[in-house]
Amino acid sequence: MPVSDKFRTGTGRMVLMHPPLIVLVGPTATGKSALAVSLARELIGRGKPAEVVNADSMLVYRGMDIGTAKPSEAERGGVPHHLIDILEVAETASVADFQARARGEVIADLRDRGVIPILVGGSALYTRAITDAFEFPGSDAVLRAGLEAELERVGVEELYARLTVLAPESAARIDPGNGRRIVRALEIRALTGGHQAVLPDWTYELDGVHQVGLDLDRNELDSRIDARVEE
């Protein structure tokens, strides 16, 4: 094993380190998926196993291949991909569940086996939930169902008005017409006595994160997106 894959302690003893977690982020159509496969194949060619981990909230659904620009088997280039096609379209995807799957079931397992995970982010919230110190309040199915029924009965305006009274700072950051977020905010308020509508600080929870942001000229990006839509 190369010395770069080890860590020398103060006593001179060599202990194994986890492989790094490589994270690729950037706007749609900047080429993140293709770069992830290219990078994985390059690492594999150098004797360092690597696999791709999806962080796009839409690629988790089976059957939603066209509208999500899901990479085909050919585009995956023989590189194992994780967290793609794991849910039916009728199932609800939550960020908290995705965080647990990505951290515990995939990334931790890959690193324990000496495989370099390459996390490809299409959803900033999902990517941050995986890499950052990001905790989610609990939920109550009965309470949530009651609030959703109330939303149907009295309308989004009345529930938003209630939120402005109970948690005015949160209400100011939520679209008054977004019933789903209003219901969730009221649920958290009832369970915890408070609700924070802003994202937490940018602090990595996982070690060894190497995050790269892809950028592209706006005109070129628009052309790529148009071409993707036509395709």
Side-chain angles (χ1 to χ4, degrees):
M1 178 178 292
V3 174
S4 60
D5 292 335
K6 301 179 181 179
F7 174 76
R8 189 181 300 279
T9 67
T11 62
R13 182 172 58 89
M14 302 296 285
V15 296
L16 295 179
M17 290 181 66
H18 267 145
L21 169 60
I22 300 173
V23 184
L24 303 179
V25 298
T28 296
T30 48
K32 297 183 299 294
S33 296
L35 177 58
V37 170
S38 177
L39 176 57
R41 290 170 64 93
E42 175 70 20
L43 289 168
I44 293 168
R46 298 187 181 195
K48 296 180 179 294
E51 299 181 11
V52 174
V53 182
N54 165 59
D56 187 296
S57 62
M58 293 294 102
L59 298 191
V60 301
Y61 290 109
R62 299 185 188 96
M64 293 181 61
D65 298 350
I66 298 174
T68 63
K70 183 182 297 179
S72 65
E73 289 297 331
E75 290 170 330
R76 298 177 199 180
V79 176
H81 281 57
H82 301 270
L83 299 180
I84 292 179
D85 294 334
I86 59 174
L87 296 176
E88 300 295 341
V89 292
E91 295 181 83
T92 300
S94 73
V95 187
D97 177 65
F98 194 88
Q99 179 194 64
R101 289 176 184 255
R103 285 185 181 179
E105 297 179 16
V106 179
I107 293 175
D109 176 65
L110 291 175
R111 296 176 101 178
D112 286 344
R113 293 190 286 110
V115 178
I116 299 173
I118 303 175
L119 182 68
V120 184
S123 310
L125 177 61
Y126 276 52
T127 304
R128 287 203 57 198
I130 295 167
T131 62
D132 291 7
F134 215 106
E135 296 184 2
F136 296 94
S139 62
D140 184 302
V142 175
L143 174 61
R144 172 77 66 89
L147 288 167
E148 289 174 342
E150 193 171 1
L151 175 66
E152 289 291 325
R153 186 174 68 255
V154 304
V156 67
E157 295 84 0
E158 184 164 328
L159 257 64
Y160 184 75
R162 184 188 308 172
L163 183 64
T164 60
V165 173
L166 296 174
E169 291 186 1
S170 295
R173 296 185 175 93
I174 294 177
D175 180 356
N178 192 327
R180 181 182 60 83
R181 289 196 64 195
I182 293 168
V183 164
R184 177 58 175 156
L186 288 170
E187 179 190 15
I188 295 172
R189 177 65 173 74
L191 291 173
T192 68
H195 176 258
Q196 189 76 13
V198 296
L199 296 177
D201 293 335
W202 298 77
T203 305
Y204 285 140
E205 177 75 9
L206 303 182
D207 62 346
V209 175
H210 297 265
Q211 183 159 299
V212 179
L214 278 63
D215 195 11
L216 196 64
D217 175 77
R218 182 70 199 196
N219 291 330
E220 173 64 18
L221 191 63
D222 288 344
S223 296
R224 288 191 182 188
I225 292 174
D226 289 343
R228 176 179 289 184
V229 171
E230 290 298 325
E231 183 183 356

